[in-house]
Amino acid sequence: MDMQPEKESLFIIKIGGNVIDEEKSLNKFLDDFAFLKSKKILVHGGGKVATSIGEKLGITSNYVEGRRITDGDTIDLVTMVYGGLVNKKIVALLQSKNTNAIGLTGADANMIPAQKRLVKKIDFGWVGDVDQQDLNSSQWKLFLDNGMVPVVAPLTHDGAGNMLNTNADTIASVLATGLSEYYSVKLIFCFEKDGVLSDIQKDDSVIRNLDESTYQQLKKEKKLFAGILPKIDNAFAAINHGVEQVIIGNSSKLIELSKGESGTIMK
């Protein structure tokens, strides 16, 4: 019987929130990211920077159910901020740490095609939904196998010349799923807490291991913070489609997270 060769490991790490806004925290995080010796991809958000620059330009941010409405002015704003300022700042910092980073959006080399979200109850505007089967996985492999470290802005495109604002957690989950065909993928969602908390008032109430049935029960009992639910949904979507491990934890503990020594491990 032919033995399948062992797959090379790949980390896909998503960073967002306050870390991007705080220079010291971002620098420390990128030191840790640069230290990881495996193949790796960094997916970043950048909402607060976009909001603050938008205010200076007279563009008001509108949210419905916690999601940004992306009208014509806003898609220009987030393309400029996410794909430009935030992305290139991270790329330049990684280059200073001997990491050969390359900044990408989903439009570059047709890496992440998407569809503009259909209007149901709410018109979210220029927001993109990604279909897993459209992901250009072989193109990502090309960058990774040539020693480059993709740094991915949360932007996709519709194939008709329009940029689309797309949830960074979703992009990370779709990338992890698509690339699990070629690599042994660990997906890490970094944020401000030490993991998924069983009690939002207690920072030390981290759930170390979380399976899907326990998650559904906790969700039903409304014991989890509403803001963490999309992250967990993306985590289980990845686990159910070939991703080896998903960890949610504190961005200041990336090395421990990469070893499974911190955070909440999905299984």
Side-chain angles (χ1 to χ4, degrees), residues 2-48:
D2 288 343
M3 293 290 286
Q4 288 290 323
E6 199 172 319
K7 288 178 180 174
E8 201 175 351
S9 67
L10 168 67
F11 283 109
I12 295 179
I13 297 167
K14 187 267 171 171
I15 185 74
N18 297 334
V19 181
I20 286 172
D21 305 329
E22 294 166 4
E23 204 168 321
K24 209 169 155 187
S25 303
L26 179 61
N27 211 36
K28 157 77 169 67
F29 171 81
L30 293 176
D31 278 339
D32 291 344
F33 180 79
F35 180 79
L36 296 175
K37 297 300 172 232
S38 146
K39 283 185 166 62
K40 54 199 172 188
I41 294 173
L42 181 61
V43 181
H44 66 81
K48 288 184 184 173

Side-chain angles (χ1 to χ4, degrees), residues 49-217:
V49 186
T51 301
S52 121
I53 290 178
E55 282 167 5
K56 290 173 191 169
L57 297 173
I59 300 168
T60 307
S61 293
N62 296 310
Y63 293 87
V64 175
E65 296 170 2
R67 294 172 186 265
R68 188 190 289 273
I69 302 293
T70 308
D71 60 16
D73 286 342
T74 304
I75 191 62
D76 287 350
L77 172 69
V78 296
T79 300
M80 183 170 68
V81 175
Y82 299 165
L85 180 63
V86 175
N87 188 270
K88 298 312 170 200
K89 181 180 173 184
I90 291 172
V91 168
L93 283 167
L94 284 172
Q95 293 294 353
S96 77
K97 301 173 195 300
N98 298 313
T99 297
N100 193 17
I102 180 166
L104 297 167
T105 71
D108 295 295
N110 194 30
M111 302 287 268
I112 314 174
Q115 299 89 38
K116 186 172 183 278
R117 183 170 296 167
L118 296 172
V119 178
K120 292 178 183 170
K121 283 187 293 183
I122 300 156
D123 183 356
F124 284 101
W126 296 103
V127 167
D129 291 321
V130 184
D131 192 331
Q132 184 68 58
Q133 65 191 20
D134 292 338
L135 183 75
N136 207 333
S137 300
S138 59
Q139 199 81 330
W140 289 94
K141 189 174 186 296
L142 199 64
F143 282 105
L144 291 165
D145 291 350
N146 280 283
M148 283 177 267
V149 176
V151 175
V152 189
L155 296 162
T156 56
H157 76 122
D158 67 357
N162 300 300
M163 295 299 292
L164 299 168
N165 187 8
T166 302
N167 180 278
D169 288 348
T170 302
I171 286 178
S173 177
V174 165
L175 281 175
T177 300
L179 288 165
S180 63
E181 180 187 346
Y182 305 112
Y183 306 100
S184 172
V185 179
K186 285 190 181 180
L187 172 59
I188 302 176
F189 290 112
C190 294
F191 71 145
E192 287 79 31
K193 302 291 183 184
D194 285 340
V196 179
L197 306 180
S198 58
D199 181 346
I200 192 60
Q201 307 300 330
K202 296 179 183 171
D203 280 351
D204 61 353
S205 65
V206 175
I207 303 167
R208 277 293 285 139
N209 293 283
L210 184 62
D211 60 43
E212 202 161 1
S213 62
T214 307
Y215 166 52
Q216 294 301 341
Q217 188 59 34

Side-chain angles (χ1 to χ4, degrees), residues 211-267:
D211 60 43
E212 202 161 1
S213 62
T214 307
Y215 166 52
Q216 294 301 341
Q217 188 59 34
L218 289 168
K219 190 158 78 164
K220 196 172 158 189
E221 293 167 8
K222 296 194 162 69
K223 287 190 175 170
L224 298 173
F225 172 56
I228 195 80
L229 301 182
K231 216 175 279 293
I232 302 175
D233 288 335
N234 277 309
F236 281 117
I239 286 281
N240 293 333
H241 291 90
V243 175
E244 186 188 306
Q245 193 176 60
V246 182
I247 301 172
I248 296 177
N250 197 313
S251 56
S252 68
K253 299 178 179 176
L254 181 59
I255 302 302
E256 293 98 312
L257 292 172
S258 72
K259 297 174 182 173
E261 294 168 359
S262 180
T264 298
I265 298 171
M266 309 290 164
K267 54 181 189 170

